Amino acid sequence: MTEALISLSGVDLKLGNGVNAVHVLREVNLSIASGESVGIVGPSGSGKTTLLMVLSGLERPDLGEVKIAGATLNAMGEDAIAAFRGQNIGIVFQSFHLIPNMTALENVAVPLEFAGERKAFEKAESELAAVGLKDRLTHYPGQLSGGEQQRVAIARALAPDPKILIADEPTGNLDGETGHLISDLLFAKQRERGMTFVLVTHDLDLARTCD
């Protein structure tokens, strides 16, 4: 049996306080094997993004256990979780979240520099070339199309060689053709590197591409 790389057991989470509290996650149990691709679907407001936040350590559950790559995130402090995430989890967001006053190359180099990579810019350049942006290294996000910005975001997520790639509606802000190109790129990189891939999407055809 393939070892579970991601394991959530009895995860509960409420957001907000008092009468305004919303019970977003209820007794969630989830097991994802190493190298598996999993699509998470559901209506808006059903907790998909919150679930990703929990399994990436960006949100702590009220109850339950979150175990990622052998580490129990509940038992770790914020600094330890941040360091663990930097080494093990790459995240691609719907809205790109690039730093506007940094070039594509600098955006991709940031997590590598935080990780102490001595050849951060060399590796960042290689990652950008791998997603078809070798001619856009010195361009700023505002000078790039939406699809190009998402490619930069993918290169940034992949640069530290994470075990897990998480994508939250990665094609949601893109037109249909560009969205297909981006989704094809994500799955190609997942297969190429043997990563575990967790994808939140409203696109059922895209979800069906997952294992």
Side-chain angles (χ1 to χ4, degrees), residues 1 13 53 56 64 71 101 108 113 136 173 188 194:
M1 180 180 291
L13 177 64
M53 298 282 280
S56 62
N101 61 345
V108 177
E113 290 184 303
R136 296 287 191 270
N173 281 340

Side-chain angles (χ1 to χ4, degrees), residues 2 4-5 19 21 26 32 35 38 48-49 58 69 73 96 99 103 108 119 135 139 155 162-163 169 178 183 189 206:
T2 305
L5 193 67
V19 294
R26 294 176 183 267
I32 300 175
V38 174
K48 302 184 300 298
T49 294
L58 290 167
L73 299 194
F96 318 138
I99 302 169
T103 65
V108 177
K119 296 183 178 180
D135 297 325
H139 287 64
K163 294 183 179 72
E169 294 284 1
T178 304
S183 60
K189 292 300 177 184
L206 184 55

Side-chain angles (χ1 to χ4, degrees), residues 27-41:
E27 298 183 20
V28 174
N29 299 296
L30 177 65
S31 180
I32 300 175
S34 178
E36 189 175 16
S37 60
V38 174
I40 299 175
V41 298

Side-chain angles (χ1 to χ4, degrees), residues 41-210:
V41 298
S44 296
S46 60
K48 302 184 300 298
T49 294
T50 303
L51 180 61
L52 291 190
M53 298 282 280
V54 167
L55 66 84
S56 62
L58 290 167
E59 191 78 61
R60 287 184 182 270
D62 299 317
L63 296 170
E65 182 182 74
V66 180
K67 197 169 183 178
I68 309 293
T72 303
L73 299 194
N74 312 58
M76 300 164 66
E78 294 300 330
D79 289 345
I81 289 176
F84 177 85
R85 183 169 51 248
Q87 294 170 354
N88 293 280
I89 303 173
I91 306 175
V92 178
F93 300 96
Q94 178 177 346
S95 300
F96 318 138
H97 290 307
L98 300 177
I99 302 169
N101 61 345
M102 286 188 173
T103 65
L105 184 64
E106 290 167 337
N107 265 281
V108 177
V110 164
L112 295 170
E113 290 184 303
F114 276 127
E117 172 63 56
R118 288 188 295 176
K119 296 183 178 180
F121 282 86
E122 285 182 34
K123 189 164 187 184
E125 184 174 349
S126 175
E127 291 291 353
L128 283 165
V131 297
L133 292 178
K134 65 179 180 180
D135 297 325
R136 296 287 191 270
L137 304 181
T138 59
H139 287 64
Y140 292 91
Q143 299 172 313
L144 301 171
S145 69
E148 288 171 334
Q149 289 186 63
Q150 193 61 297
R151 284 173 181 266
V152 174
I154 291 168
R156 180 182 59 188
L158 296 177
D161 292 322
K163 294 183 179 72
I164 299 164
L165 180 63
I166 290 172
D168 188 6
E169 294 284 1
T171 62
N173 281 340
L174 306 173
D175 64 78
E177 183 178 352
T178 304
H180 285 305
L181 292 172
I182 290 298
S183 60
D184 288 347
L185 175 63
L186 285 167
F187 280 103
K189 292 300 177 184
Q190 186 250 338
R191 290 190 297 269
E192 178 185 306
R193 303 188 184 204
M195 295 179 295
T196 300
F197 184 31
V198 185
L199 168 71
V200 158
T201 181
H202 281 105
D203 185 338
L204 291 180
D205 287 333
L206 184 55
R208 291 187 187 102
T209 308
C210 296

